[in-house]
Amino acid sequence: MTENVTKLAEMIKGSDNIVFFGGAGVSTESGIPDFRSVDGLYNQKYDYPPEEILSHTFFMRHTAEFYRFYRDKLLIENVKPNAAHKVLAKLEEIGKLKAVVTQNIDGLHQDAGSKVVLELHGGVLRNYCMECGKAYDVSYIKECSGVPKCSCGGTIKPDVVLYEEGLDNRMISESVRYITEADMLIIAGTSLNVYPAAGLIDYYRGDKLVLINRDATARDVQADLVIHDKVGEVLKAATQDLFTCD
């Protein structure tokens, strides 16, 4: 890995308009399970498949069951940003990274200090009443039991994109703009199997496309640099001459 990390370090040093596109593998080092690995959510057993539970139809028809799964599996206690989140926040701070585009909903990029975070699938930190639109933070969802209700009596829904729901058009447009303008695109921790999010990388026009993922992806052949390893370890090693990351 050393030679590839050195190449990555040189690419980062020579870039000042970096965009990072990340998936579940960015947060697994913080203890958050991904969905498609051998021990991921899709390979665990519940009364209903996770894909069904996390659908709009299921939320509307079986809201209490949805929230039992949601609190247990998606609102994980005591998770902290890992090296990947911290490095990206520092790269933004020194002006090299312009945006993080993420498929994750855990809010760890914001916890690490990143300011420009485009959450393609929404985020667990935000919740809203389906009747009046009143906002509620994640602590309210954690602390109440059963189906969380608004002061107006309406049902509160997490601001996450469920199956059967479309992505936010503004979020897509902003992501496309940042990726199109980037001089370097780092894609990490994603199998690139989830569309339309994965298709956003086709808007990149530069010659510094980097893929960092534990396993090979179908897009490896398109990349200028491919590293099969842990995202946090790779980014920390590649930026050690720029700053120190705990």
Side-chain angles (χ1 to χ4, degrees):
M1 183 177 76
T2 303
E3 182 180 346
N4 284 336
V5 168
T6 299
K7 290 180 182 178
L8 177 59
E10 293 172 351
M11 295 167 78
I12 291 173
K13 288 177 182 177
S15 304
D16 59 9
N17 190 347
I18 303 171
V19 171
F20 180 87
F21 181 100
V26 176
S27 292
T28 52
E29 292 171 61
S30 291
I32 296 180
D34 66 7
F35 279 67
R36 290 177 172 77
S37 66
V38 173
D39 56 351
L41 291 181
Y42 286 175
N43 291 294
Q44 298 180 31
K45 303 300 182 183
Y46 299 96
D47 292 340
Y48 300 89
E51 302 98 316
E52 184 177 349
I53 298 174
L54 296 174
S55 68
H56 179 82
T57 297
F58 192 93
F59 176 83
M60 298 302 293
R61 293 179 179 173
H62 309 284
T63 313
E65 183 69 18
F66 169 91
Y67 268 109
R68 278 194 288 271
F69 177 89
Y70 181 78
R71 289 189 180 99
D72 184 37
K73 294 300 178 182
L74 297 182
L75 296 184
I76 302 174
E77 300 283 355
N78 302 316
V79 292
K80 301 293 183 183
N82 61 53
H85 301 104
K86 294 175 183 178
V87 165
L88 293 169
K90 290 188 176 182
L91 285 173
E92 181 186 54
E93 184 180 341
I94 64 175
K96 285 188 169 291
L97 183 76
K98 302 307 179 186
V100 170
V101 181
T102 181
Q103 296 172 296
N104 296 335
I105 61 174
D106 50 51
L108 290 178
H109 286 293
Q110 293 91 325
D111 286 350
S114 290
K115 307 299 183 188
V116 183
V117 182
L118 302 175
E119 296 175 306
L120 296 174
H121 298 149
V124 299
L125 302 181
R126 301 178 303 278
N127 308 272
Y128 64 91
C129 173
M130 297 177 69
E131 295 295 328
C132 71
K134 182 177 178 180
Y136 288 86
D137 63 20
V138 69
S139 62
Y140 184 83
I141 306 300
K142 289 179 179 179
E143 293 165 7
C144 68
S145 59
V147 178
K149 294 291 185 176
C150 176
S151 55
C152 78
T155 297
I156 298 171
K157 182 181 183 295
D159 188 17
V160 298
V161 179
L162 301 176
Y163 288 104
E164 304 169 350
E165 297 178 345
L167 301 187
D168 181 82
N169 287 332
R170 185 191 64 81
M171 200 69 67
I172 290 288
S173 296
E174 281 290 280
S175 300
V176 168
R177 180 175 68 83
Y178 276 109
I179 290 172
T180 301
E181 296 174 355
D183 66 4
M184 179 176 182
L185 178 61
I186 302 174
I187 302 170
T190 174
S191 62
L192 294 174
N193 288 328
V194 178
Y195 284 82
L200 292 176
I201 70 171
D202 293 327
Y203 290 94
Y204 179 62
R205 297 291 180 263
D207 59 0
K208 286 189 261 185
L209 175 59
V210 179
L211 284 179
I212 307 170
N213 197 50
R214 183 187 61 187
D215 304 314
T217 77
R219 299 290 192 120
D220 284 8
V221 294
Q222 297 175 237
D224 300 292
L225 178 63
V226 177
I227 302 176
H228 292 149
D229 214 312
K230 293 182 178 180
V231 181
E233 291 181 4
V234 170
L235 291 179
K236 184 175 181 179
T239 56
Q240 61 183 352
D241 290 340
L242 289 174
F243 45 70
T244 301
C245 180
D246 297 330

